[in-house]
Amino acid sequence: MHIVVTGGAGFIGANFVHHVVREHPGTQVTVLDALTYAGDRRSLDPVADKITFVTGDVADAATVDPLVAAADAVVHFAAESHNDNSLAQPWPFVQTNVVGTYTLLEAVRKHGRRLHHVSTDEVYGDLELDDPAKFTPETAYNPSSPYSSTKAASDMLVRAWVRSFGVAATISNCSNNYGPYQHVEKFIPRQVTNVIDGVRPKLYGTGANVRDWIHVDDHNAAVWQVLTRGQVGQTYLIGADGEVDNKTVVETLLELMGQPSDAYDLVSDRPGHDLRYAIDATRLRDELGWTPKYTSFRDGLAATVDWYRANEAWWRPQKNATEAKYATLGR
Ligand code: NAD
Ligand code: DAU
């Protein structure tokens, strides 16, 4: 099989390419990535001689069309992915997440190719802290931020292209990922690299918000299962029963890094900040037999801390610019 992986120089996409090269070596991989601030070709260095890399925009039909024509399937990770950025400057989110997905859909429609669209649990909005419910594939869409609303729009485009044009597509909606090669703007890498730099971690609001953490390798193993064995037209929720509140995440990180567990600061909250996400992954588990390998969040977090300690050359170039951006937001 020949797959095009969009956004393959980003956090999850790069880990997916590593996963495919390692676990499914007969697969031919072409990465399409615009190398925005969030993309880093160095994340693909360990597999560089086993893949083809194309620098380009998913919203550019002239770039996308021949790549799709030459492949069997597209796995679509490319997106603007950070909520805080979407609040500061929404337009790139509309362009890449909505127009980019539209452009890919038109190419897979024209060439009769398979598409897997990688999406987020944030399309469902949020849950109360004490609500026993979790998100299921039947939960109504109710996105809160410019980021999540553009992802919701992209999911809707995929569903419409499946129904109206018979495009062979699947969608997955996953919860918060952690692991190697994640940009230092995101919660866990930001705090780990702050502690390495002797800076106190910063918790938005009261730190009570809950995220349903999953290791990126478990997410990517599920994406492969859905791509190769999922039912066309179906939506799969991906999550590993990893609900933890932000305060506990920071306290655990501080403890793992040899600091007092209260050595953090509370900062101003993110506008519209979703309270809690929680995934019911029953369909994925029952239909495709997927189970997560990382069952201890603490162990996965410890391995992630080790990775950031060992790979300062990878994240250091982004750190100052990222913190300068946060400083303008007062966070
Ligand atoms: P990321 O920001 O780390 O990487 C995004 C990649 O897409 C970068 O390499 C960037 O250069 C590329 N890109 C951006 N605009 C592009 C364009 N116009 N054309 C081509 N490439 C472009 O994001 P991530 O965290 O790896 O997320 C990947 C996907 O997974 C996204 O679709 C996101 O919505 C989804 N997702 C992320 C999470 C998470 O916890 N990070 C959870 C669920 C779903
Ligand atoms: O749920 C899936 C989503 O998870 C993905 O779709 C997004 O692409 C991904 O970025 C992530 O979104 P979040 O907004 O949940 O992730 P982020 O890492 O920005 O923040 C995680 C939580 O930590 C959130 O409640 C906000 C909080 N936070 C974040 C930062 C950067 C802090 O308390 N302090 C911080 O410095």
Side-chain angles (χ1 to χ4, degrees), residues 81-84 120-122 147 174-176 185-188 190-191 202-204 209 211 213 246 270 273-274 277 326 331:
S81 69
H82 193 41
N83 275 299
D84 289 319
T120 170
D121 59 358
E122 296 193 15
Y147 163 68
C174 188
S175 57
N176 286 62
E185 70 189 355
K186 301 298 196 308
F187 180 46
I188 288 175
R190 184 182 186 205
Q191 315 313 338
K202 297 178 193 319
L203 269 177
Y204 293 175
N209 303 63
R211 295 295 183 263
W213 293 99
N246 293 343
R270 172 187 282 171
H273 194 177
D274 279 341
Y277 307 136
Y326 277 121
R331 292 201 283 278

Side-chain angles (χ1 to χ4, degrees), residues 64-72 107 111 113:
V64 164
D65 194 80
L67 293 176
V68 170
D72 301 301
H111 299 291
R113 301 297 188 250

